[in-house]
Amino acid sequence: MKRQKTDSAAGEKQQPAVVAEASSSEAAALHARGKEHAEKLLSFINYAWTPFHAVEEASKRLVAAGFTPISEREPWSVKPGGRYFFTRNMSTIVAFAVGAKFQPGNGFYMVGAHTDSPCLKLKPVSASSRAGYNMVNVETYGGGLWYTWYDRDLGLAGRVLLREGPSAAASGAAGLKHRLVKIDRPLLRIPMLAIHLQRDIHTAGFKPNLQSNFAPMLATQVKTQLLAPAHGAAGAPAASKHQPLLLEMLASELGVSPEAIVDFELHVCDVQPGVLGGAHGEFVFAGRLDNLAMSYVALQSLIDSTPDAASLAEETGVRAIALFDHEEVGSESAQGAGGPVMRDTITRVAAALSEGQEGAVERTLRASFLVSADMAHALHPNYADKHDPEHQPRMHGGLVLKHNHNQRYATNAVSATLFREVARRHGIPTQEFSVRNDMPCGSTIGPILSSNLGCRTVDCGIAQLSMHSIREQCGADDVALAYDHFLHFFKEFSALDASLDFSALDASLDFSALDASLDVDSLPPPNIAGTIADTPCSHQH
């Protein structure tokens, strides 16, 4: 007996080591998966320098996965079991997969993100010369940390409108074409002023004038003049607004003559590719993580949740993603979340599948659920006081649910509980964020879409550092955890929403009095007759 007790005690002492070993094994597996997913994310980000390129890459992946491209200008033939996508302005993309068991009034289960990031964009007249240099006139887009753009190797990317061939030139606008371009070599630079010429920078701070001190340098005028015979774009129609040298480079990249260039929308971009970093390769260092990381995860999880028609056989709702442009400047545009893109989509699909039933569109909107996916603020080790002490999201901790009672985020208790439940069922961690009371709170597309659509919404995102810097940082594990969370959301949310097992949430809570689904508006009103005293009003009338 004594020996048995001793062996038992030894076993109990060893148990924590066994648990630690299992935990270590799980952590190692997550680390490997995180790096794998992060590498795929980097492949997407390193190509997608602009919203146009992000939408182009998303379109290619959707076509390869069997989704059918449709046009907003054409009638839609949408059927249960079908998978579709369309683009608007080539900078916003919506993709959806209709469940085979969809019934009129069933919901859309959506993940929304955005394709744009703070950057510099060329102005309509970009040609500029200063102090013997050919400069490029740019406009700041969004709320960037602009001082991080100094002394970086910069390239150009965007879209160009072309009029190609003699017949096209003669016919005018009928010959216009839209082409994407990307010059991914060091082309531009914004040089920092030497400290010797601004001795007070450490006391007064670095406060550049974004009109006077922020123009990228393209070339020296003397070299441009000496090499002018090599640049025959001076006679191009666009040469009155843009550097002929720039037009020549664009034409070379596109394989056209400079005279074919009619107009363009070009972004200045950092040419340094995103990479894995950190001692263990646990970090993602890249530009545009906000918000291409969430766009990529949304896209890939939708594709993987619907690999074929069979994957939609039991689905009763519509799985959808919407990747919007212009979030960084308020979303108020035809292709922004504040525009009609998502409502148009839901209206057309619900109406097409409703067989003329009354209120089908409105019922679908009320049954829908939106995940507003935008990057979140990780706790900064050098600025820990910038977070609320009880809300300090960490890297490798899973998606961060964002809360703000002043409606800067659209999360409420119902939407958060449903979204957490998806994760809980698969052992996926989540975190919570609420801003300090003495700091203003940012916002997302969540409140915009929830107010426009009237659907339940949760705001969430991967925790990151250096948000809106030219170079940002997040954890590799969180890319895998976000993918897992979204994948299960698409696969299971319709069934979860229809019959939530309340007993699984917390065995100590009694949900027996509630309906099987978490529709708070279906609960009968309480009987309060005779319980409220008629207190006289004390106001002077």
Side-chain angles (χ1 to χ4, degrees), residues 308-354:
D308 49 39
S311 62
L312 295 168
E314 299 301 318
E315 177 60 71
T316 60
V318 179
R319 304 172 187 175
I321 63 169
L323 312 181
F324 298 97
D325 196 2
H326 293 157
E327 188 276 344
E328 296 292 356
V329 291
S331 296
E332 295 297 325
S333 70
Q335 55 269 20
V341 182
M342 205 61 228
R343 179 175 277 273
D344 285 354
T345 304
I346 296 174
T347 298
R348 293 186 70 170
V349 174
L353 299 174
S354 69

mmCIF file of all heavy atoms in Angstrom, residues 308-354:
data_model
loop_
_atom_site.group_PDB
_atom_site.id
_atom_site.type_symbol
_atom_site.label_atom_id
_atom_site.label_comp_id
_atom_site.label_asym_id
_atom_site.label_seq_id
_atom_site.Cartn_x
_atom_site.Cartn_y
_atom_site.Cartn_z
ATOM 1 N N ASP A 308 -16.287 22.800 -53.312
ATOM 2 C CA ASP A 308 -17.112 22.253 -54.394
ATOM 3 C C ASP A 308 -18.578 22.372 -54.006
ATOM 4 O O ASP A 308 -18.917 22.837 -52.909
ATOM 5 C CB ASP A 308 -16.736 20.789 -54.677
ATOM 6 C CG ASP A 308 -16.683 19.951 -53.402
ATOM 7 O OD1 ASP A 308 -17.544 20.155 -52.505
ATOM 8 O OD2 ASP A 308 -15.792 19.101 -53.290
ATOM 9 N N ALA A 309 -19.448 21.941 -54.901
ATOM 10 C CA ALA A 309 -20.886 22.036 -54.646
ATOM 11 C C ALA A 309 -21.302 21.192 -53.454
ATOM 12 O O ALA A 309 -22.228 21.549 -52.714
ATOM 13 C CB ALA A 309 -21.658 21.617 -55.895
ATOM 14 N N ALA A 310 -20.633 20.068 -53.253
ATOM 15 C CA ALA A 310 -20.992 19.180 -52.138
ATOM 16 C C ALA A 310 -20.819 19.861 -50.785
ATOM 17 O O ALA A 310 -21.533 19.558 -49.827
ATOM 18 C CB ALA A 310 -20.153 17.907 -52.201
ATOM 19 N N SER A 311 -19.867 20.800 -50.699
ATOM 20 C CA SER A 311 -19.611 21.484 -49.432
ATOM 21 C C SER A 311 -20.755 22.396 -49.035
ATOM 22 O O SER A 311 -20.828 22.854 -47.888
ATOM 23 C CB SER A 311 -18.321 22.290 -49.528
ATOM 24 O OG SER A 311 -18.433 23.286 -50.534
ATOM 25 N N LEU A 312 -21.668 22.675 -49.959
ATOM 26 C CA LEU A 312 -22.816 23.535 -49.683
ATOM 27 C C LEU A 312 -24.114 22.752 -49.569
ATOM 28 O O LEU A 312 -25.191 23.334 -49.455
ATOM 29 C CB LEU A 312 -22.963 24.577 -50.785
ATOM 30 C CG LEU A 312 -21.828 25.606 -50.911
ATOM 31 C CD1 LEU A 312 -21.944 26.381 -52.214
ATOM 32 C CD2 LEU A 312 -21.833 26.560 -49.717
ATOM 33 N N ALA A 313 -24.012 21.424 -49.580
ATOM 34 C CA ALA A 313 -25.216 20.587 -49.613
ATOM 35 C C ALA A 313 -26.115 20.799 -48.406
ATOM 36 O O ALA A 313 -27.342 20.746 -48.518
ATOM 37 C CB ALA A 313 -24.819 19.113 -49.724
ATOM 38 N N GLU A 314 -25.540 21.033 -47.234
ATOM 39 C CA GLU A 314 -26.326 21.208 -46.011
ATOM 40 C C GLU A 314 -26.422 22.668 -45.572
ATOM 41 O O GLU A 314 -27.013 22.948 -44.527
ATOM 42 C CB GLU A 314 -25.715 20.374 -44.877
ATOM 43 C CG GLU A 314 -25.691 18.873 -45.147
ATOM 44 C CD GLU A 314 -27.086 18.315 -45.384
ATOM 45 O OE1 GLU A 314 -28.013 18.713 -44.653
ATOM 46 O OE2 GLU A 314 -27.250 17.505 -46.316
ATOM 47 N N GLU A 315 -25.836 23.561 -46.336
ATOM 48 C CA GLU A 315 -25.843 24.978 -45.964
ATOM 49 C C GLU A 315 -27.209 25.590 -46.241
ATOM 50 O O GLU A 315 -27.779 25.436 -47.319
ATOM 51 C CB GLU A 315 -24.767 25.721 -46.745
ATOM 52 C CG GLU A 315 -24.715 27.224 -46.499
ATOM 53 C CD GLU A 315 -24.436 27.567 -45.046
ATOM 54 O OE1 GLU A 315 -23.293 27.353 -44.600
ATOM 55 O OE2 GLU A 315 -25.389 28.030 -44.366
ATOM 56 N N THR A 316 -27.723 26.327 -45.240
ATOM 57 C CA THR A 316 -29.029 26.982 -45.377
ATOM 58 C C THR A 316 -28.928 28.475 -45.632
ATOM 59 O O THR A 316 -29.931 29.122 -45.947
ATOM 60 C CB THR A 316 -29.867 26.763 -44.112
ATOM 61 O OG1 THR A 316 -29.164 27.322 -42.986
ATOM 62 C CG2 THR A 316 -30.107 25.271 -43.872
ATOM 63 N N GLY A 317 -27.732 29.037 -45.473
ATOM 64 C CA GLY A 317 -27.543 30.468 -45.677
ATOM 65 C C GLY A 317 -26.653 30.748 -46.864
ATOM 66 O O GLY A 317 -26.421 29.899 -47.722
ATOM 67 N N VAL A 318 -26.140 31.976 -46.912
ATOM 68 C CA VAL A 318 -25.209 32.397 -47.954
ATOM 69 C C VAL A 318 -23.904 32.807 -47.281
ATOM 70 O O VAL A 318 -23.893 33.691 -46.424
ATOM 71 C CB VAL A 318 -25.766 33.586 -48.766
ATOM 72 C CG1 VAL A 318 -24.755 34.025 -49.827
ATOM 73 C CG2 VAL A 318 -27.092 33.222 -49.418
ATOM 74 N N ARG A 319 -22.818 32.152 -47.647
ATOM 75 C CA ARG A 319 -21.498 32.507 -47.136
ATOM 76 C C ARG A 319 -20.920 33.588 -48.043
ATOM 77 O O ARG A 319 -20.925 33.439 -49.261
ATOM 78 C CB ARG A 319 -20.577 31.293 -47.117
ATOM 79 C CG ARG A 319 -21.128 30.115 -46.326
ATOM 80 C CD ARG A 319 -20.262 28.865 -46.513
ATOM 81 N NE ARG A 319 -20.880 27.698 -45.876
ATOM 82 C CZ ARG A 319 -20.403 26.451 -45.958
ATOM 83 N NH1 ARG A 319 -19.299 26.213 -46.671
ATOM 84 N NH2 ARG A 319 -21.028 25.457 -45.361
ATOM 85 N N ALA A 320 -20.408 34.661 -47.454
ATOM 86 C CA ALA A 320 -19.982 35.790 -48.285
ATOM 87 C C ALA A 320 -18.805 36.528 -47.683
ATOM 88 O O ALA A 320 -18.613 36.547 -46.456
ATOM 89 C CB ALA A 320 -21.145 36.761 -48.490
ATOM 90 N N ILE A 321 -18.018 37.136 -48.557
ATOM 91 C CA ILE A 321 -16.998 38.098 -48.139
ATOM 92 C C ILE A 321 -17.179 39.368 -48.961
ATOM 93 O O ILE A 321 -17.655 39.332 -50.092
ATOM 94 C CB ILE A 321 -15.557 37.573 -48.318
ATOM 95 C CG1 ILE A 321 -15.251 37.297 -49.790
ATOM 96 C CG2 ILE A 321 -15.320 36.344 -47.456
ATOM 97 C CD1 ILE A 321 -13.777 37.042 -50.068
ATOM 98 N N ALA A 322 -16.810 40.479 -48.370
ATOM 99 C CA ALA A 322 -16.822 41.766 -49.077
ATOM 100 C C ALA A 322 -15.556 42.501 -48.672
ATOM 101 O O ALA A 322 -15.351 42.794 -47.491
ATOM 102 C CB ALA A 322 -18.056 42.578 -48.715
ATOM 103 N N LEU A 323 -14.698 42.766 -49.650
ATOM 104 C CA LEU A 323 -13.438 43.467 -49.415
ATOM 105 C C LEU A 323 -13.556 44.840 -50.062
ATOM 106 O O LEU A 323 -13.547 44.969 -51.290
ATOM 107 C CB LEU A 323 -12.270 42.671 -50.008
ATOM 108 C CG LEU A 323 -12.235 41.174 -49.663
ATOM 109 C CD1 LEU A 323 -11.011 40.505 -50.295
ATOM 110 C CD2 LEU A 323 -12.261 40.949 -48.161
ATOM 111 N N PHE A 324 -13.687 45.869 -49.226
ATOM 112 C CA PHE A 324 -14.048 47.206 -49.685
ATOM 113 C C PHE A 324 -12.825 48.111 -49.847
ATOM 114 O O PHE A 324 -11.827 47.980 -49.142
ATOM 115 C CB PHE A 324 -14.977 47.884 -48.669
ATOM 116 C CG PHE A 324 -16.292 47.192 -48.457
ATOM 117 C CD1 PHE A 324 -16.465 46.320 -47.394
ATOM 118 C CD2 PHE A 324 -17.361 47.421 -49.307
ATOM 119 C CE1 PHE A 324 -17.685 45.689 -47.176
ATOM 120 C CE2 PHE A 324 -18.575 46.801 -49.103
ATOM 121 C CZ PHE A 324 -18.743 45.929 -48.037
ATOM 122 N N ASP A 325 -12.969 49.068 -50.725
ATOM 123 C CA ASP A 325 -12.008 50.156 -50.855
ATOM 124 C C ASP A 325 -12.436 51.306 -49.948
ATOM 125 O O ASP A 325 -13.555 51.334 -49.421
ATOM 126 C CB ASP A 325 -11.959 50.613 -52.318
ATOM 127 C CG ASP A 325 -10.732 51.456 -52.637
ATOM 128 O OD1 ASP A 325 -9.884 51.660 -51.746
ATOM 129 O OD2 ASP A 325 -10.633 51.922 -53.793
ATOM 130 N N HIS A 326 -11.524 52.245 -49.714
ATOM 131 C CA HIS A 326 -11.793 53.563 -49.101
ATOM 132 C C HIS A 326 -12.150 53.510 -47.612
ATOM 133 O O HIS A 326 -12.689 54.480 -47.085
ATOM 134 C CB HIS A 326 -12.902 54.298 -49.872
ATOM 135 C CG HIS A 326 -12.471 54.686 -51.257
ATOM 136 N ND1 HIS A 326 -13.364 54.922 -52.282
ATOM 137 C CD2 HIS A 326 -11.234 54.863 -51.799
ATOM 138 C CE1 HIS A 326 -12.708 55.231 -53.378
ATOM 139 N NE2 HIS A 326 -11.412 55.196 -53.116
ATOM 140 N N GLU A 327 -11.847 52.426 -46.917
ATOM 141 C CA GLU A 327 -12.097 52.412 -45.470
ATOM 142 C C GLU A 327 -11.235 53.435 -44.756
ATOM 143 O O GLU A 327 -11.674 54.072 -43.795
ATOM 144 C CB GLU A 327 -11.840 51.015 -44.901
ATOM 145 C CG GLU A 327 -12.249 50.855 -43.434
ATOM 146 C CD GLU A 327 -11.209 51.312 -42.416
ATOM 147 O OE1 GLU A 327 -10.026 51.481 -42.800
ATOM 148 O OE2 GLU A 327 -11.563 51.496 -41.238
ATOM 149 N N GLU A 328 -9.997 53.601 -45.225
ATOM 150 C CA GLU A 328 -9.062 54.493 -44.539
ATOM 151 C C GLU A 328 -9.451 55.962 -44.646
ATOM 152 O O GLU A 328 -8.884 56.798 -43.943
ATOM 153 C CB GLU A 328 -7.647 54.291 -45.097
ATOM 154 C CG GLU A 328 -7.060 52.898 -44.857
ATOM 155 C CD GLU A 328 -6.773 52.606 -43.396
ATOM 156 O OE1 GLU A 328 -6.967 53.514 -42.559
ATOM 157 O OE2 GLU A 328 -6.367 51.476 -43.086
ATOM 158 N N VAL A 329 -10.404 56.280 -45.519
ATOM 159 C CA VAL A 329 -10.832 57.679 -45.660
ATOM 160 C C VAL A 329 -12.322 57.826 -45.399
ATOM 161 O O VAL A 329 -12.945 58.788 -45.848
ATOM 162 C CB VAL A 329 -10.452 58.232 -47.053
ATOM 163 C CG1 VAL A 329 -8.954 58.366 -47.171
ATOM 164 C CG2 VAL A 329 -10.995 57.356 -48.176
ATOM 165 N N GLY A 330 -12.917 56.888 -44.683
ATOM 166 C CA GLY A 330 -14.295 57.052 -44.242
ATOM 167 C C GLY A 330 -15.334 56.184 -44.912
ATOM 168 O O GLY A 330 -16.497 56.191 -44.501
ATOM 169 N N SER A 331 -14.981 55.469 -45.971
ATOM 170 C CA SER A 331 -15.867 54.492 -46.626
ATOM 171 C C SER A 331 -16.998 55.102 -47.433
ATOM 172 O O SER A 331 -17.823 54.371 -47.990
ATOM 173 C CB SER A 331 -16.468 53.517 -45.586
ATOM 174 O OG SER A 331 -15.459 52.737 -44.990
ATOM 175 N N GLU A 332 -17.066 56.434 -47.508
ATOM 176 C CA GLU A 332 -18.182 57.068 -48.212
ATOM 177 C C GLU A 332 -17.880 57.206 -49.705
ATOM 178 O O GLU A 332 -17.454 58.262 -50.177
ATOM 179 C CB GLU A 332 -18.492 58.436 -47.594
ATOM 180 C CG GLU A 332 -18.986 58.364 -46.161
ATOM 181 C CD GLU A 332 -20.310 57.619 -46.021
ATOM 182 O OE1 GLU A 332 -21.151 57.728 -46.944
ATOM 183 O OE2 GLU A 332 -20.498 56.930 -45.018
ATOM 184 N N SER A 333 -18.083 56.126 -50.439
ATOM 185 C CA SER A 333 -17.878 56.143 -51.888
ATOM 186 C C SER A 333 -18.717 55.036 -52.501
ATOM 187 O O SER A 333 -19.284 54.196 -51.795
ATOM 188 C CB SER A 333 -16.396 55.939 -52.231
ATOM 189 O OG SER A 333 -15.991 54.613 -51.932
ATOM 190 N N ALA A 334 -18.784 55.021 -53.822
ATOM 191 C CA ALA A 334 -19.578 53.998 -54.513
ATOM 192 C C ALA A 334 -19.070 52.595 -54.217
ATOM 193 O O ALA A 334 -19.847 51.636 -54.183
ATOM 194 C CB ALA A 334 -19.552 54.251 -56.025
ATOM 195 N N GLN A 335 -17.751 52.471 -53.997
ATOM 196 C CA GLN A 335 -17.179 51.158 -53.725
ATOM 197 C C GLN A 335 -16.760 50.980 -52.271
ATOM 198 O O GLN A 335 -16.167 49.970 -51.913
ATOM 199 C CB GLN A 335 -15.979 50.893 -54.646
ATOM 200 C CG GLN A 335 -14.896 51.957 -54.589
ATOM 201 C CD GLN A 335 -15.102 53.055 -55.617
ATOM 202 O OE1 GLN A 335 -16.202 53.261 -56.131
ATOM 203 N NE2 GLN A 335 -14.037 53.777 -55.956
ATOM 204 N N GLY A 336 -17.085 51.942 -51.429
ATOM 205 C CA GLY A 336 -16.784 51.836 -50.007
ATOM 206 C C GLY A 336 -17.897 51.144 -49.244
ATOM 207 O O GLY A 336 -19.006 50.950 -49.753
ATOM 208 N N ALA A 337 -17.606 50.789 -47.997
ATOM 209 C CA ALA A 337 -18.614 50.115 -47.168
ATOM 210 C C ALA A 337 -19.802 51.024 -46.886
ATOM 211 O O ALA A 337 -20.900 50.541 -46.586
ATOM 212 C CB ALA A 337 -17.978 49.643 -45.859
ATOM 213 N N GLY A 338 -19.609 52.338 -46.971
ATOM 214 C CA GLY A 338 -20.712 53.266 -46.783
ATOM 215 C C GLY A 338 -21.606 53.399 -48.000
ATOM 216 O O GLY A 338 -22.666 54.012 -47.921
ATOM 217 N N GLY A 339 -21.175 52.844 -49.113
ATOM 218 C CA GLY A 339 -21.979 52.846 -50.329
ATOM 219 C C GLY A 339 -22.948 51.670 -50.354
ATOM 220 O O GLY A 339 -23.090 50.936 -49.378
ATOM 221 N N PRO A 340 -23.602 51.447 -51.472
ATOM 222 C CA PRO A 340 -24.661 50.434 -51.528
ATOM 223 C C PRO A 340 -24.198 49.027 -51.910
ATOM 224 O O PRO A 340 -25.031 48.169 -52.170
ATOM 225 C CB PRO A 340 -25.587 51.001 -52.613
ATOM 226 C CG PRO A 340 -24.655 51.709 -53.543
ATOM 227 C CD PRO A 340 -23.554 52.278 -52.688
ATOM 228 N N VAL A 341 -22.892 48.774 -51.953
ATOM 229 C CA VAL A 341 -22.393 47.502 -52.483
ATOM 230 C C VAL A 341 -23.028 46.295 -51.807
ATOM 231 O O VAL A 341 -23.588 45.409 -52.467
ATOM 232 C CB VAL A 341 -20.859 47.416 -52.351
ATOM 233 C CG1 VAL A 341 -20.348 46.108 -52.952
ATOM 234 C CG2 VAL A 341 -20.185 48.594 -53.024
ATOM 235 N N MET A 342 -22.958 46.262 -50.467
ATOM 236 C CA MET A 342 -23.414 45.058 -49.771
ATOM 237 C C MET A 342 -24.933 44.943 -49.775
ATOM 238 O O MET A 342 -25.488 43.851 -49.947
ATOM 239 C CB MET A 342 -22.886 45.045 -48.337
ATOM 240 C CG MET A 342 -22.764 43.649 -47.748
ATOM 241 S SD MET A 342 -21.606 42.640 -48.700
ATOM 242 C CE MET A 342 -22.531 41.135 -48.917
ATOM 243 N N ARG A 343 -25.618 46.066 -49.596
ATOM 244 C CA ARG A 343 -27.082 46.006 -49.648
ATOM 245 C C ARG A 343 -27.559 45.619 -51.052
ATOM 246 O O ARG A 343 -28.505 44.849 -51.191
ATOM 247 C CB ARG A 343 -27.705 47.345 -49.222
ATOM 248 C CG ARG A 343 -29.232 47.356 -49.266
ATOM 249 C CD ARG A 343 -29.798 48.639 -48.718
ATOM 250 N NE ARG A 343 -29.900 48.617 -47.273
ATOM 251 C CZ ARG A 343 -30.954 48.140 -46.612
ATOM 252 N NH1 ARG A 343 -31.975 47.610 -47.275
ATOM 253 N NH2 ARG A 343 -30.998 48.184 -45.294
ATOM 254 N N ASP A 344 -26.888 46.130 -52.073
ATOM 255 C CA ASP A 344 -27.239 45.731 -53.439
ATOM 256 C C ASP A 344 -27.101 44.217 -53.607
ATOM 257 O O ASP A 344 -27.965 43.559 -54.211
ATOM 258 C CB ASP A 344 -26.326 46.433 -54.448
ATOM 259 C CG ASP A 344 -26.673 47.901 -54.632
ATOM 260 O OD1 ASP A 344 -27.692 48.352 -54.076
ATOM 261 O OD2 ASP A 344 -25.910 48.601 -55.332
ATOM 262 N N THR A 345 -26.009 43.677 -53.093
ATOM 263 C CA THR A 345 -25.751 42.238 -53.234
ATOM 264 C C THR A 345 -26.838 41.417 -52.545
ATOM 265 O O THR A 345 -27.426 40.501 -53.141
ATOM 266 C CB THR A 345 -24.383 41.877 -52.629
ATOM 267 O OG1 THR A 345 -23.368 42.675 -53.241
ATOM 268 C CG2 THR A 345 -24.071 40.407 -52.824
ATOM 269 N N ILE A 346 -27.106 41.735 -51.295
ATOM 270 C CA ILE A 346 -28.098 40.976 -50.533
ATOM 271 C C ILE A 346 -29.479 41.122 -51.157
ATOM 272 O O ILE A 346 -30.235 40.146 -51.270
ATOM 273 C CB ILE A 346 -28.095 41.424 -49.056
ATOM 274 C CG1 ILE A 346 -26.750 41.088 -48.405
ATOM 275 C CG2 ILE A 346 -29.236 40.774 -48.294
ATOM 276 C CD1 ILE A 346 -26.595 41.611 -46.998
ATOM 277 N N THR A 347 -29.811 42.335 -51.586
ATOM 278 C CA THR A 347 -31.128 42.572 -52.190
ATOM 279 C C THR A 347 -31.315 41.745 -53.456
ATOM 280 O O THR A 347 -32.354 41.089 -53.644
ATOM 281 C CB THR A 347 -31.300 44.068 -52.510
ATOM 282 O OG1 THR A 347 -31.228 44.815 -51.295
ATOM 283 C CG2 THR A 347 -32.634 44.327 -53.187
ATOM 284 N N ARG A 348 -30.308 41.750 -54.326
ATOM 285 C CA ARG A 348 -30.447 41.031 -55.595
ATOM 286 C C ARG A 348 -30.501 39.516 -55.384
ATOM 287 O O ARG A 348 -31.303 38.825 -56.024
ATOM 288 C CB ARG A 348 -29.287 41.397 -56.527
ATOM 289 C CG ARG A 348 -29.332 42.842 -56.983
ATOM 290 C CD ARG A 348 -28.260 43.150 -58.015
ATOM 291 N NE ARG A 348 -28.533 42.495 -59.302
ATOM 292 C CZ ARG A 348 -27.860 42.762 -60.419
ATOM 293 N NH1 ARG A 348 -26.891 43.677 -60.410
ATOM 294 N NH2 ARG A 348 -28.155 42.142 -61.542
ATOM 295 N N VAL A 349 -29.656 39.004 -54.498
ATOM 296 C CA VAL A 349 -29.651 37.552 -54.265
ATOM 297 C C VAL A 349 -30.931 37.109 -53.575
ATOM 298 O O VAL A 349 -31.577 36.128 -53.982
ATOM 299 C CB VAL A 349 -28.415 37.141 -53.433
ATOM 300 C CG1 VAL A 349 -28.487 35.667 -53.059
ATOM 301 C CG2 VAL A 349 -27.136 37.421 -54.209
ATOM 302 N N ALA A 350 -31.317 37.829 -52.513
ATOM 303 C CA ALA A 350 -32.526 37.447 -51.778
ATOM 304 C C ALA A 350 -33.765 37.537 -52.669
ATOM 305 O O ALA A 350 -34.637 36.666 -52.627
ATOM 306 C CB ALA A 350 -32.690 38.333 -50.544
ATOM 307 N N ALA A 351 -33.835 38.594 -53.503
ATOM 308 C CA ALA A 351 -34.986 38.737 -54.391
ATOM 309 C C ALA A 351 -35.014 37.638 -55.450
ATOM 310 O O ALA A 351 -36.073 37.089 -55.769
ATOM 311 C CB ALA A 351 -34.950 40.110 -55.061
ATOM 312 N N ALA A 352 -33.843 37.289 -55.980
ATOM 313 C CA ALA A 352 -33.783 36.258 -57.016
ATOM 314 C C ALA A 352 -34.192 34.883 -56.491
ATOM 315 O O ALA A 352 -34.739 34.068 -57.240
ATOM 316 C CB ALA A 352 -32.366 36.192 -57.582
ATOM 317 N N LEU A 353 -33.945 34.636 -55.209
ATOM 318 C CA LEU A 353 -34.234 33.318 -54.639
ATOM 319 C C LEU A 353 -35.521 33.285 -53.829
ATOM 320 O O LEU A 353 -35.858 32.255 -53.245
ATOM 321 C CB LEU A 353 -33.064 32.878 -53.744
ATOM 322 C CG LEU A 353 -31.700 32.722 -54.437
ATOM 323 C CD1 LEU A 353 -30.616 32.438 -53.403
ATOM 324 C CD2 LEU A 353 -31.748 31.608 -55.473
ATOM 325 N N SER A 354 -36.267 34.393 -53.797
ATOM 326 C CA SER A 354 -37.422 34.477 -52.906
ATOM 327 C C SER A 354 -38.717 33.988 -53.524
ATOM 328 O O SER A 354 -39.717 33.805 -52.824
ATOM 329 C CB SER A 354 -37.621 35.925 -52.452
ATOM 330 O OG SER A 354 -38.042 36.729 -53.544
#
